[in-house]
């Protein structure tokens, strides 16, 4: 786990405290910083390797100077405290610029803030370094070479969906294929790819943006998130007219993505022939390689026991049998049973392989797969 002296932070105010938090967060590989007002102070927390931990509690006066600085940098309205606001800013570190997405939220004891750190050094990761088993990685690469179809990537916020999609698109960029993305927000810059930012305030939604993209002769399209029936059906129709479409969705498992889309009202007669695969994933912490030979001699509360993260995934391929189940709008259990007969393995089952190889622990697999 990251180490930082809270007393070092307690002595700081305003811009100096915020700047120190930013730099220490990048040094420690932190993804999010939270400032949460409480009755007797403001708690500062950050998320490391997927888990939230408390750094310190600051006084309301100190918080006031910090939140004013955050609002100024992110171009949020300083005098507006009763509605949620979103913004962003950048800061330099070690010769590169880190983007910070800022979200404020009115709470009982004042405005709460979440700062999401998007470090370009961590953003674009090669597919082979994301931790996918060789079998799933080769299947993903084969799917990415298809000329058309719909590929869904599912999982909760923070499960690495965007990182996986960026890795896939990076392997395809520059290969005589026109790639266009539709994102909210654009997290990292991708070379040789057209990236388009959603702007709901001006009517540029996923649905309208997707229709616009189709007029620009794309070969591959990334839809940042399917949120409604119109976007879902447009993505399906695009995949049936010669485009390879990647899209994300929020479901707990790969099999659940199918009834979820059908419940949005898409036509099963277009969805079934369009679907190529569904990838579901979580991020799990990985054990320190130095400990793996004698893992039983160490405990998970030990500093530096976990030193990284990899994707724990499951990949459901849309066989003809699965497509027929989509047409009949079969329940999740029936889809899962059919997929198992074709070699499908759940995240929990892949997790057993990771445990056997001492990449992670049973409690860690249980933490992200328990439903």
């Amino acid at each position: 786990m990251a180490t930082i002296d809270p007393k070092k932070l307690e002595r700081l105010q305003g811009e100096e405290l915020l700047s120190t938090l930013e730099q220490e967060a990048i040094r420690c590989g932190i993804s999010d910083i939270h400032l949460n007002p409480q009755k007797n102070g403001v708690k500062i927390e950050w998320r490391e390797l997927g888990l939230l931990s408390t750094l310190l509690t600051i006084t309301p006066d100190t918080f006031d100077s910090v939140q004013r600085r955050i609002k100024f940098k992110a171009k949020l309205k300083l005098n507006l405290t009763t509605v949620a606001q979103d913004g962003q800013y950048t800061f330099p570190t070690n010769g590169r610029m880190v983007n910070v997405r800022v979200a404020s939220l009115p709470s009982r004891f004042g405005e709460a803030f979440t700062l999401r750190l998007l470090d370009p050094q961590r953003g674009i990761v090669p597919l082979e370094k994301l931790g996918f088993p060789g079998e799933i990685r080769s299947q993903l690469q084969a799917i990415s070479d298809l000329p058309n179809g719909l590929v869904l990537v599912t999982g909760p916020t923070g499960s690495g969906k965007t990182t996986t999609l960026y890795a896939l698109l990076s392997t395809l960029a520059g290969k005589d294929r026109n790639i266009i993305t539709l994102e909210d927000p654009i997290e990292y810059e991708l070379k040789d790819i057209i990236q388009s930012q959603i702007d709901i305030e001006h009517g540029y939604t996923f649905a309208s943006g997707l229709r616009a993209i189709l007029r620009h002769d794309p070969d591959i399209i990334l839809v940042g998130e399917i949120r409604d029936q119109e976007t879902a059906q447009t993505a399906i129709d695009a995949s049936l007219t010669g485009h390879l479409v990647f899209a994300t969705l929020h479901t707990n498992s790969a099999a659940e993505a199918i009834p979820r889309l059908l419940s949005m009202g898409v036509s099963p007669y277009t969805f079934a022939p369009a679907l190529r695969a569904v990838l579901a994933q979580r991020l799990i912490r990985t054990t320190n390689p130095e400990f793996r030979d004698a893992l039983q001699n160490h405990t998970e509360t030990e500093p530096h026991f976990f030193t990284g993260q990899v994707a724990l995934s499951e990949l459901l391929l849309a066989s003809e049998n699965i497509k027929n189940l989509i047409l009949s709008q079969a329940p999740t259990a029936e889809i899962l049973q059919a997929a198992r007969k074709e070699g499908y393995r759940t995240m929990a089952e892949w997790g057993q392989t990771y445990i056997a190889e001492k990449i992670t622990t049973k409690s860690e697999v249980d933490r992200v797969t328990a439903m």
Side-chain angles (χ1 to χ4, degrees), residues 35 38 41 54 60 67 92 117 132 153 192 204 237 255 306 334 346:
L35 295 95
Q38 310 288 309
T54 300
Q67 64 97 5
L117 308 180
F132 291 111
V153 179
D192 299 323
Y204 189 58
D237 294 343
F306 293 110
E334 191 173 345
T346 66

Side-chain angles (χ1 to χ4, degrees), residues 229-242:
Q229 189 272 342
E230 185 181 5
T231 305
Q233 191 63 59
T234 305
I236 289 169
D237 294 343
S239 69
L240 291 172
T241 54

Side-chain angles (χ1 to χ4, degrees), residues 175-190:
K175 292 185 177 180
D176 300 321
R177 302 174 84 177
N178 185 20
I179 304 174
I180 305 179
T181 74
L182 195 59
E183 304 176 61
D184 184 24
I186 295 172
E187 295 194 5
Y188 300 102
E189 294 181 7
L190 294 169

Side-chain angles (χ1 to χ4, degrees), residues 252-286:
N252 288 324
S253 68
E256 288 176 50
I258 293 172
R260 172 67 185 280
L261 268 190
L262 290 172
S263 71
M264 287 185 180
V266 301
S267 166
Y269 300 102
T270 54
F271 181 31
L275 187 64
R276 295 289 179 265
V278 185
L279 175 75
Q281 69 176 63
R282 302 286 190 280
L283 293 178
I284 56 169
R285 294 180 295 171
T286 55

Side-chain angles (χ1 to χ4, degrees), residues 139-152 172 177-178 214 218-221 235-247 270-277 318 320 323:
Q139 289 171 331
L140 286 174
Q141 290 171 329
I143 291 166
S144 300
D145 288 332
L146 294 173
N148 55 63
L150 177 66
V151 181
L152 298 172
L172 302 171
R177 302 174 84 177
N178 185 20
L214 293 173
D219 297 295
I220 299 173
I221 300 169
I236 289 169
D237 294 343
S239 69
L240 291 172
T241 54
H243 308 91
L244 182 61
V245 180
F246 293 94
T270 54
F271 181 31
L275 187 64
R276 295 289 179 265
E320 287 304 313
K323 291 177 187 289

